[in-house]
Amino acid sequence: MRKLCPNIEKEDGLETVLEVPIPEEMFASMGSNVALRWQNMLTWMKAQTSDKWSQPVIAGRINELRFLLYLVGSPLIPLQVQVGHAVHKPVKDSSIQASTAKYIVQQYIAATGGQQAINAVHSMCVTGEVKITASEFQQADVKTNVKSTEEIGGFVLWQKDPDLWILELVVSGCKVICGSNGKISWRHSSNQHDPANKGPPRPLRRFLQGLDPRSTANLFLDATCIGEKIINDQDCFILKLETSPAIREAQSGRNFEIIHHTIWGYFSQRSGLLIQFEDSRLLRMRTKEGDDVFWETSTESVMEDYKYVDGVNIAHSGKTSVTVFRYGEQSANHKREMQEKWKIEDVDFNVWGLTSEHFLPPPDVQNL
């Protein structure tokens, strides 16, 4: 991945460190030669804060990218996960299904490096690249060859205990920054700022895709084991979590209601690792005309290429598939399919000098 940009104006000038490294494939698409590519890169970097995003054609393109990055690249999970303490919960007075889930989680902890190695991690920095493919909306019951586009980009993810994290994600010229300062979760993009998310701070879904074993273990300690399933030729235990009505109400807004949000984890019986992570959410939007619109989002992530980093077993690649169903408005049901392929380039634990000031939200969010 490209991490440095040469000084275009002065040959002997210092190189610029890119805030978010970009994949070589993305850099190659910016022009026919290296000089032109760097010039286009510089123009693109300056345009991040310019008024060009207000032009209708560009604004429409960026709004489309924002939709993809929010839904596929940077979604949150519905539950708050305590990451600032050891993974432990008693089995006493639990049901058979809940006790089985706790046993499976303990096997997962052992498979990812053990309690001591996991609890020794207090912060991390992760860089990686993504490829996002998306179809257009189509009628749900019609089988057609739907046009799809591929977007390429990179990301940097910082995390620090407890509940501090920030993600910078750049895809095809659109930048999204989202984070948590321990009190609120927030995000904003190149051409639009969004308010803080309702409810307590929640982890980024990307943490649960094999990057943060402690968060994953703490999340599924409250799950129940509902059975077994074969995933990619591996026998897996299925752990299930259902969000409570109180949590759904806290995260709902004035114009929308979360009807349900369910999480599943598929843990390999052979290796003990989490190899698939799913969640499904049904949301009802209230329109001015009084016709409710329902959005059902199903997300499935497959984790691969587990490797040890400082004694902790981390998934270094994977694939996330998202299907969105929209129905209501007195119209036919429509669906859209999206897919993200991701690859981790670097993982560093216990980053020296990382403080809470690195995770401050934008001023307009702080003043809420």
Side-chain angles (χ1 to χ4, degrees):
M1 297 181 72
R2 296 271 174 165
K3 298 181 179 180
L4 298 175
C5 175
N7 193 312
I8 304 295
E9 299 173 355
K10 297 181 180 179
E11 284 189 20
D12 57 346
L14 294 176
E15 293 182 314
T16 300
V17 179
L18 297 175
E19 292 183 357
V20 181
I22 63 169
E24 290 290 343
E25 190 173 348
M26 178 179 172
F27 177 71
S29 67
M30 290 185 171
S32 57
N33 56 67
V34 173
L36 180 59
R37 290 167 188 166
W38 284 124
Q39 188 65 54
N40 289 336
M41 169 70 76
L42 183 64
T43 302
W44 167 72
M45 291 169 63
K46 291 180 178 179
Q48 290 294 311
T49 56
S50 74
D51 295 332
K52 294 180 180 179
W53 299 124
S54 60
Q55 299 177 17
V57 175
I58 297 179
R61 163 70 171 162
I62 295 302
N63 286 335
E64 164 68 9
L65 286 172
R66 285 179 63 247
F67 176 81
L68 296 179
L69 298 189
Y70 282 6
L71 195 64
V72 184
S74 60
L76 305 180
I77 66 168
L79 300 171
Q80 187 178 21
V81 179
Q82 300 297 327
V83 296
H85 56 76
V87 180
H88 176 71
K89 233 171 206 185
V91 177
K92 185 180 178 181
D93 299 328
S94 298
S95 66
I96 295 296
Q97 293 84 355
S99 298
T100 302
K102 290 177 174 58
Y103 173 78
I104 294 169
V105 170
Q106 293 303 320
Q107 299 305 304
Y108 168 75
I109 293 172
T112 52
Q115 189 90 49
Q116 185 175 354
I118 293 174
N119 288 336
V121 176
H122 303 292
S123 64
M124 73 169 72
C125 176
V126 181
T127 60
E129 61 181 71
V130 296
K131 290 183 180 181
I132 299 178
T133 305
S135 71
E136 299 174 346
F137 271 108
Q138 64 185 89
Q139 288 194 11
D141 56 349
V142 176
K143 298 291 184 180
T144 58
N145 293 325
V146 181
K147 179 183 177 182
S148 62
T149 57
E150 183 178 75
E151 314 290 350
I152 303 172
F155 67 87
V156 176
L157 175 59
W158 302 84
Q159 182 266 337
K160 180 178 173 65
D161 291 344
D163 298 325
L164 299 173
W165 59 267
I166 189 166
L167 169 73
E168 296 183 74
L169 176 64
V170 175
V171 173
S172 297
C174 181
K175 184 175 183 179
V176 166
I177 304 176
C178 55
S180 168
N181 66 350
K183 298 179 180 178
I184 58 174
S185 301
W186 52 270
R187 59 186 174 186
H188 73 283
S189 62
S190 305
N191 69 329
Q192 185 172 345
H193 295 267
D194 295 307
N197 294 288
K198 291 198 64 180
R202 292 172 279 151
L204 193 68
R205 191 182 190 278
R206 198 172 291 277
F207 285 127
L208 284 303
Q209 295 171 193
L211 276 181
D212 189 347
R214 183 169 51 176
S215 291
T216 303
N218 274 311
L219 174 68
F220 282 104
L221 275 176
D222 292 320
T224 57
C225 182
I226 62 171
E228 304 177 15
K229 186 177 181 179
I230 298 176
I231 303 290
N232 294 334
D233 297 326
Q234 295 191 55
D235 293 325
C236 296
F237 294 113
I238 308 172
L239 301 192
K240 180 182 178 182
L241 278 168
E242 193 79 55
T243 53
S244 67
I247 292 176
R248 296 197 301 269
E249 182 179 355
Q251 295 173 10
S252 298
R254 183 178 60 183
N255 299 320
F256 68 93
E257 174 189 3
I258 300 174
I259 298 176
H260 78 73
H261 202 153
T262 309
I263 292 174
W264 297 268
Y266 298 84
F267 293 81
S268 170
Q269 297 181 17
R270 185 181 68 230
S271 67
L273 296 171
L274 176 68
I275 63 171
Q276 188 162 304
F277 179 70
E278 296 180 8
D279 69 292
S280 176
R281 185 183 73 166
L282 180 61
L283 185 144
R284 176 167 60 195
M285 300 287 294
R286 303 180 182 93
T287 64
K288 295 180 180 179
E289 294 76 18
D291 297 326
D292 290 343
V293 180
F294 294 87
W295 292 80
E296 185 173 4
T297 307
S298 299
T299 308
E300 174 186 296
S301 296
V302 176
M303 283 71 74
E304 301 172 336
D305 196 21
Y306 274 90
K307 298 177 184 177
Y308 280 93
V309 178
D310 295 338
V312 181
N313 207 358
I314 299 295
H316 280 67
S317 66
K319 180 174 65 176
T320 297
S321 301
V322 182
T323 303
V324 179
F325 287 94
R326 180 185 64 191
Y327 47 95
E329 299 179 289
Q330 300 179 350
S331 64
N333 299 345
H334 292 81
K335 75 172 181 179
R336 188 176 191 186
E337 296 176 340
M338 290 151 278
Q339 186 179 94
E340 178 200 60
K341 293 182 180 179
W342 47 272
K343 181 180 179 181
I344 303 302
E345 292 290 330
D346 294 298
V347 179
D348 292 303
F349 292 139
N350 298 326
V351 182
W352 186 84
L354 196 61
T355 68
S356 59
E357 294 183 354
H358 291 85
F359 304 91
L360 293 176
D364 54 335
V365 176
Q366 295 185 56
N367 296 330
L368 289 176

mmCIF file of all heavy atoms in Angstrom, residues 138-168:
data_model
loop_
_atom_site.group_PDB
_atom_site.id
_atom_site.type_symbol
_atom_site.label_atom_id
_atom_site.label_comp_id
_atom_site.label_asym_id
_atom_site.label_seq_id
_atom_site.Cartn_x
_atom_site.Cartn_y
_atom_site.Cartn_z
ATOM 1 N N GLN A 138 -33.139 -3.657 -7.072
ATOM 2 C CA GLN A 138 -33.928 -4.398 -8.039
ATOM 3 C C GLN A 138 -35.123 -5.017 -7.323
ATOM 4 O O GLN A 138 -35.149 -5.112 -6.097
ATOM 5 C CB GLN A 138 -33.077 -5.525 -8.651
ATOM 6 C CG GLN A 138 -32.667 -6.581 -7.606
ATOM 7 C CD GLN A 138 -31.735 -7.625 -8.156
ATOM 8 O OE1 GLN A 138 -30.524 -7.447 -8.114
ATOM 9 N NE2 GLN A 138 -32.281 -8.699 -8.651
ATOM 10 N N GLN A 139 -36.112 -5.424 -8.071
ATOM 11 C CA GLN A 139 -37.257 -6.093 -7.465
ATOM 12 C C GLN A 139 -36.793 -7.407 -6.861
ATOM 13 O O GLN A 139 -36.049 -8.168 -7.470
ATOM 14 C CB GLN A 139 -38.355 -6.330 -8.495
ATOM 15 C CG GLN A 139 -39.086 -5.051 -8.904
ATOM 16 C CD GLN A 139 -40.375 -5.353 -9.659
ATOM 17 O OE1 GLN A 139 -40.824 -6.484 -9.701
ATOM 18 N NE2 GLN A 139 -40.951 -4.317 -10.234
ATOM 19 N N ALA A 140 -37.243 -7.667 -5.643
ATOM 20 C CA ALA A 140 -36.729 -8.797 -4.870
ATOM 21 C C ALA A 140 -37.027 -10.146 -5.512
ATOM 22 O O ALA A 140 -36.273 -11.097 -5.355
ATOM 23 C CB ALA A 140 -37.305 -8.752 -3.462
ATOM 24 N N ASP A 141 -38.128 -10.247 -6.258
ATOM 25 C CA ASP A 141 -38.525 -11.545 -6.815
ATOM 26 C C ASP A 141 -38.180 -11.685 -8.294
ATOM 27 O O ASP A 141 -38.633 -12.606 -8.962
ATOM 28 C CB ASP A 141 -40.030 -11.760 -6.616
ATOM 29 C CG ASP A 141 -40.857 -10.624 -7.218
ATOM 30 O OD1 ASP A 141 -40.269 -9.602 -7.600
ATOM 31 O OD2 ASP A 141 -42.096 -10.779 -7.272
ATOM 32 N N VAL A 142 -37.355 -10.756 -8.814
ATOM 33 C CA VAL A 142 -36.997 -10.796 -10.231
ATOM 34 C C VAL A 142 -35.512 -11.136 -10.356
ATOM 35 O O VAL A 142 -34.654 -10.486 -9.758
ATOM 36 C CB VAL A 142 -37.283 -9.437 -10.918
ATOM 37 C CG1 VAL A 142 -36.816 -9.483 -12.371
ATOM 38 C CG2 VAL A 142 -38.769 -9.109 -10.837
ATOM 39 N N LYS A 143 -35.208 -12.170 -11.131
ATOM 40 C CA LYS A 143 -33.824 -12.578 -11.364
ATOM 41 C C LYS A 143 -33.316 -11.938 -12.647
ATOM 42 O O LYS A 143 -33.726 -12.308 -13.750
ATOM 43 C CB LYS A 143 -33.732 -14.100 -11.478
ATOM 44 C CG LYS A 143 -34.162 -14.841 -10.216
ATOM 45 C CD LYS A 143 -33.164 -14.621 -9.079
ATOM 46 C CE LYS A 143 -33.543 -15.442 -7.863
ATOM 47 N NZ LYS A 143 -32.606 -15.246 -6.755
ATOM 48 N N THR A 144 -32.441 -10.949 -12.504
ATOM 49 C CA THR A 144 -31.895 -10.260 -13.666
ATOM 50 C C THR A 144 -30.400 -10.053 -13.473
ATOM 51 O O THR A 144 -29.870 -10.162 -12.363
ATOM 52 C CB THR A 144 -32.569 -8.884 -13.868
ATOM 53 O OG1 THR A 144 -32.379 -8.100 -12.674
ATOM 54 C CG2 THR A 144 -34.046 -9.031 -14.155
ATOM 55 N N ASN A 145 -29.722 -9.759 -14.575
ATOM 56 C CA ASN A 145 -28.313 -9.411 -14.508
ATOM 57 C C ASN A 145 -28.212 -7.939 -14.125
ATOM 58 O O ASN A 145 -28.414 -7.051 -14.961
ATOM 59 C CB ASN A 145 -27.629 -9.660 -15.854
ATOM 60 C CG ASN A 145 -27.559 -11.136 -16.199
ATOM 61 O OD1 ASN A 145 -27.393 -11.975 -15.311
ATOM 62 N ND2 ASN A 145 -27.688 -11.453 -17.474
ATOM 63 N N VAL A 146 -27.925 -7.702 -12.859
ATOM 64 C CA VAL A 146 -27.925 -6.348 -12.345
ATOM 65 C C VAL A 146 -26.528 -5.755 -12.440
ATOM 66 O O VAL A 146 -25.535 -6.396 -12.073
ATOM 67 C CB VAL A 146 -28.409 -6.327 -10.873
ATOM 68 C CG1 VAL A 146 -28.433 -4.906 -10.348
ATOM 69 C CG2 VAL A 146 -29.792 -6.954 -10.782
ATOM 70 N N LYS A 147 -26.445 -4.523 -12.920
ATOM 71 C CA LYS A 147 -25.175 -3.832 -13.039
ATOM 72 C C LYS A 147 -24.578 -3.586 -11.656
ATOM 73 O O LYS A 147 -25.279 -3.215 -10.728
ATOM 74 C CB LYS A 147 -25.385 -2.494 -13.758
ATOM 75 C CG LYS A 147 -24.112 -1.671 -13.922
ATOM 76 C CD LYS A 147 -24.421 -0.346 -14.578
ATOM 77 C CE LYS A 147 -23.164 0.515 -14.686
ATOM 78 N NZ LYS A 147 -23.456 1.839 -15.280
ATOM 79 N N SER A 148 -23.274 -3.811 -11.528
ATOM 80 C CA SER A 148 -22.605 -3.585 -10.256
ATOM 81 C C SER A 148 -21.310 -2.820 -10.493
ATOM 82 O O SER A 148 -20.742 -2.842 -11.580
ATOM 83 C CB SER A 148 -22.312 -4.909 -9.531
ATOM 84 O OG SER A 148 -21.448 -5.706 -10.312
ATOM 85 N N THR A 149 -20.854 -2.118 -9.478
ATOM 86 C CA THR A 149 -19.627 -1.335 -9.564
ATOM 87 C C THR A 149 -18.682 -1.762 -8.450
ATOM 88 O O THR A 149 -19.111 -2.223 -7.391
ATOM 89 C CB THR A 149 -19.923 0.165 -9.425
ATOM 90 O OG1 THR A 149 -20.607 0.386 -8.173
ATOM 91 C CG2 THR A 149 -20.804 0.651 -10.564
ATOM 92 N N GLU A 150 -17.372 -1.592 -8.682
ATOM 93 C CA GLU A 150 -16.379 -1.939 -7.669
ATOM 94 C C GLU A 150 -15.628 -0.690 -7.246
ATOM 95 O O GLU A 150 -15.155 0.082 -8.078
ATOM 96 C CB GLU A 150 -15.394 -2.983 -8.205
ATOM 97 C CG GLU A 150 -14.372 -3.425 -7.160
ATOM 98 C CD GLU A 150 -13.420 -4.488 -7.670
ATOM 99 O OE1 GLU A 150 -12.518 -4.131 -8.459
ATOM 100 O OE2 GLU A 150 -13.578 -5.658 -7.295
ATOM 101 N N GLU A 151 -15.548 -0.484 -5.946
ATOM 102 C CA GLU A 151 -14.834 0.643 -5.372
ATOM 103 C C GLU A 151 -13.662 0.104 -4.563
ATOM 104 O O GLU A 151 -13.778 -0.908 -3.871
ATOM 105 C CB GLU A 151 -15.762 1.469 -4.462
ATOM 106 C CG GLU A 151 -17.140 1.774 -5.043
ATOM 107 C CD GLU A 151 -17.091 2.761 -6.199
ATOM 108 O OE1 GLU A 151 -16.017 3.356 -6.426
ATOM 109 O OE2 GLU A 151 -18.125 2.949 -6.856
ATOM 110 N N ILE A 152 -12.514 0.798 -4.647
ATOM 111 C CA ILE A 152 -11.294 0.347 -3.994
ATOM 112 C C ILE A 152 -10.826 1.404 -3.007
ATOM 113 O O ILE A 152 -10.933 2.607 -3.275
ATOM 114 C CB ILE A 152 -10.185 0.069 -5.025
ATOM 115 C CG1 ILE A 152 -10.666 -0.958 -6.059
ATOM 116 C CG2 ILE A 152 -8.911 -0.426 -4.359
ATOM 117 C CD1 ILE A 152 -9.711 -1.142 -7.220
ATOM 118 N N GLY A 153 -10.305 0.968 -1.863
ATOM 119 C CA GLY A 153 -9.820 1.940 -0.895
ATOM 120 C C GLY A 153 -9.025 1.305 0.224
ATOM 121 O O GLY A 153 -8.694 0.120 0.195
ATOM 122 N N GLY A 154 -8.708 2.127 1.228
ATOM 123 C CA GLY A 154 -7.931 1.674 2.366
ATOM 124 C C GLY A 154 -8.468 2.275 3.648
ATOM 125 O O GLY A 154 -9.287 3.201 3.638
ATOM 126 N N PHE A 155 -8.001 1.754 4.787
ATOM 127 C CA PHE A 155 -8.475 2.270 6.068
ATOM 128 C C PHE A 155 -7.378 2.176 7.115
ATOM 129 O O PHE A 155 -6.428 1.395 7.017
ATOM 130 C CB PHE A 155 -9.718 1.515 6.541
ATOM 131 C CG PHE A 155 -9.477 0.067 6.901
ATOM 132 C CD1 PHE A 155 -9.072 -0.313 8.179
ATOM 133 C CD2 PHE A 155 -9.660 -0.935 5.951
ATOM 134 C CE1 PHE A 155 -8.847 -1.632 8.498
ATOM 135 C CE2 PHE A 155 -9.443 -2.268 6.270
ATOM 136 C CZ PHE A 155 -9.035 -2.622 7.550
ATOM 137 N N VAL A 156 -7.521 3.018 8.146
ATOM 138 C CA VAL A 156 -6.686 2.972 9.344
ATOM 139 C C VAL A 156 -7.624 2.938 10.540
ATOM 140 O O VAL A 156 -8.554 3.742 10.634
ATOM 141 C CB VAL A 156 -5.749 4.188 9.450
ATOM 142 C CG1 VAL A 156 -4.974 4.147 10.767
ATOM 143 C CG2 VAL A 156 -4.780 4.227 8.288
ATOM 144 N N LEU A 157 -7.390 2.016 11.448
ATOM 145 C CA LEU A 157 -8.244 1.843 12.615
ATOM 146 C C LEU A 157 -7.388 1.908 13.872
ATOM 147 O O LEU A 157 -6.413 1.170 14.019
ATOM 148 C CB LEU A 157 -8.964 0.496 12.538
ATOM 149 C CG LEU A 157 -9.820 0.072 13.730
ATOM 150 C CD1 LEU A 157 -10.927 1.083 13.996
ATOM 151 C CD2 LEU A 157 -10.427 -1.306 13.481
ATOM 152 N N TRP A 158 -7.757 2.844 14.783
ATOM 153 C CA TRP A 158 -7.073 2.986 16.060
ATOM 154 C C TRP A 158 -8.035 2.588 17.169
ATOM 155 O O TRP A 158 -9.231 2.899 17.107
ATOM 156 C CB TRP A 158 -6.615 4.423 16.286
ATOM 157 C CG TRP A 158 -5.692 4.972 15.238
ATOM 158 C CD1 TRP A 158 -6.046 5.531 14.040
ATOM 159 C CD2 TRP A 158 -4.271 5.027 15.293
ATOM 160 N NE1 TRP A 158 -4.937 5.931 13.346
ATOM 161 C CE2 TRP A 158 -3.821 5.634 14.093
ATOM 162 C CE3 TRP A 158 -3.329 4.633 16.247
ATOM 163 C CZ2 TRP A 158 -2.489 5.846 13.824
ATOM 164 C CZ3 TRP A 158 -1.987 4.850 15.983
ATOM 165 C CH2 TRP A 158 -1.572 5.444 14.778
ATOM 166 N N GLN A 159 -7.520 1.920 18.201
ATOM 167 C CA GLN A 159 -8.372 1.518 19.317
ATOM 168 C C GLN A 159 -7.586 1.569 20.616
ATOM 169 O O GLN A 159 -6.381 1.294 20.651
ATOM 170 C CB GLN A 159 -8.904 0.092 19.092
ATOM 171 C CG GLN A 159 -9.846 -0.421 20.172
ATOM 172 C CD GLN A 159 -9.143 -1.214 21.251
ATOM 173 O OE1 GLN A 159 -8.063 -1.748 21.004
ATOM 174 N NE2 GLN A 159 -9.718 -1.282 22.430
ATOM 175 N N LYS A 160 -8.275 1.983 21.696
ATOM 176 C CA LYS A 160 -7.646 2.037 23.013
ATOM 177 C C LYS A 160 -8.706 1.758 24.077
ATOM 178 O O LYS A 160 -9.834 2.251 23.983
ATOM 179 C CB LYS A 160 -6.995 3.410 23.250
ATOM 180 C CG LYS A 160 -6.309 3.580 24.606
ATOM 181 C CD LYS A 160 -5.672 4.955 24.706
ATOM 182 C CE LYS A 160 -5.135 5.201 26.117
ATOM 183 N NZ LYS A 160 -4.031 4.274 26.451
ATOM 184 N N ASP A 161 -8.353 0.970 25.063
ATOM 185 C CA ASP A 161 -9.278 0.675 26.162
ATOM 186 C C ASP A 161 -9.458 1.911 27.038
ATOM 187 O O ASP A 161 -8.496 2.643 27.288
ATOM 188 C CB ASP A 161 -8.726 -0.456 27.030
ATOM 189 C CG ASP A 161 -8.713 -1.798 26.313
ATOM 190 O OD1 ASP A 161 -9.397 -1.915 25.284
ATOM 191 O OD2 ASP A 161 -7.998 -2.699 26.773
ATOM 192 N N PRO A 162 -10.669 2.100 27.605
ATOM 193 C CA PRO A 162 -11.888 1.372 27.214
ATOM 194 C C PRO A 162 -12.766 2.227 26.301
ATOM 195 O O PRO A 162 -12.882 3.429 26.496
ATOM 196 C CB PRO A 162 -12.586 1.172 28.572
ATOM 197 C CG PRO A 162 -12.200 2.404 29.363
ATOM 198 C CD PRO A 162 -10.837 2.845 28.859
ATOM 199 N N ASP A 163 -13.355 1.624 25.308
ATOM 200 C CA ASP A 163 -14.377 2.239 24.446
ATOM 201 C C ASP A 163 -13.870 3.401 23.601
ATOM 202 O O ASP A 163 -14.652 4.269 23.203
ATOM 203 C CB ASP A 163 -15.587 2.714 25.272
ATOM 204 C CG ASP A 163 -16.286 1.578 25.981
ATOM 205 O OD1 ASP A 163 -16.341 0.473 25.404
ATOM 206 O OD2 ASP A 163 -16.771 1.773 27.113
ATOM 207 N N LEU A 164 -12.570 3.472 23.330
ATOM 208 C CA LEU A 164 -12.023 4.514 22.470
ATOM 209 C C LEU A 164 -11.604 3.888 21.147
ATOM 210 O O LEU A 164 -10.849 2.921 21.129
ATOM 211 C CB LEU A 164 -10.812 5.192 23.122
ATOM 212 C CG LEU A 164 -11.028 5.903 24.452
ATOM 213 C CD1 LEU A 164 -9.688 6.365 25.019
ATOM 214 C CD2 LEU A 164 -11.973 7.086 24.293
ATOM 215 N N TRP A 165 -12.099 4.431 20.037
ATOM 216 C CA TRP A 165 -11.674 3.955 18.732
ATOM 217 C C TRP A 165 -11.979 5.008 17.680
ATOM 218 O O TRP A 165 -12.846 5.863 17.866
ATOM 219 C CB TRP A 165 -12.339 2.624 18.369
ATOM 220 C CG TRP A 165 -13.849 2.633 18.328
ATOM 221 C CD1 TRP A 165 -14.709 2.307 19.336
ATOM 222 C CD2 TRP A 165 -14.677 2.995 17.213
ATOM 223 N NE1 TRP A 165 -16.014 2.434 18.945
ATOM 224 C CE2 TRP A 165 -16.020 2.850 17.643
ATOM 225 C CE3 TRP A 165 -14.422 3.406 15.912
ATOM 226 C CZ2 TRP A 165 -17.110 3.127 16.801
ATOM 227 C CZ3 TRP A 165 -15.501 3.685 15.070
ATOM 228 C CH2 TRP A 165 -16.827 3.544 15.532
ATOM 229 N N ILE A 166 -11.250 4.949 16.568
ATOM 230 C CA ILE A 166 -11.505 5.845 15.441
ATOM 231 C C ILE A 166 -11.093 5.141 14.152
ATOM 232 O O ILE A 166 -10.058 4.468 14.097
ATOM 233 C CB ILE A 166 -10.755 7.193 15.613
ATOM 234 C CG1 ILE A 166 -11.206 8.189 14.542
ATOM 235 C CG2 ILE A 166 -9.246 7.004 15.581
ATOM 236 C CD1 ILE A 166 -10.771 9.609 14.838
ATOM 237 N N LEU A 167 -11.923 5.250 13.142
ATOM 238 C CA LEU A 167 -11.681 4.637 11.832
ATOM 239 C C LEU A 167 -11.673 5.721 10.763
ATOM 240 O O LEU A 167 -12.580 6.553 10.702
ATOM 241 C CB LEU A 167 -12.782 3.621 11.510
ATOM 242 C CG LEU A 167 -12.805 3.083 10.073
ATOM 243 C CD1 LEU A 167 -11.651 2.115 9.851
ATOM 244 C CD2 LEU A 167 -14.129 2.408 9.758
ATOM 245 N N GLU A 168 -10.630 5.732 9.942
ATOM 246 C CA GLU A 168 -10.576 6.582 8.753
ATOM 247 C C GLU A 168 -10.593 5.666 7.539
ATOM 248 O O GLU A 168 -9.702 4.830 7.366
ATOM 249 C CB GLU A 168 -9.323 7.449 8.763
ATOM 250 C CG GLU A 168 -9.288 8.446 9.906
ATOM 251 C CD GLU A 168 -8.071 9.347 9.838
ATOM 252 O OE1 GLU A 168 -8.034 10.248 8.978
ATOM 253 O OE2 GLU A 168 -7.148 9.137 10.646
#
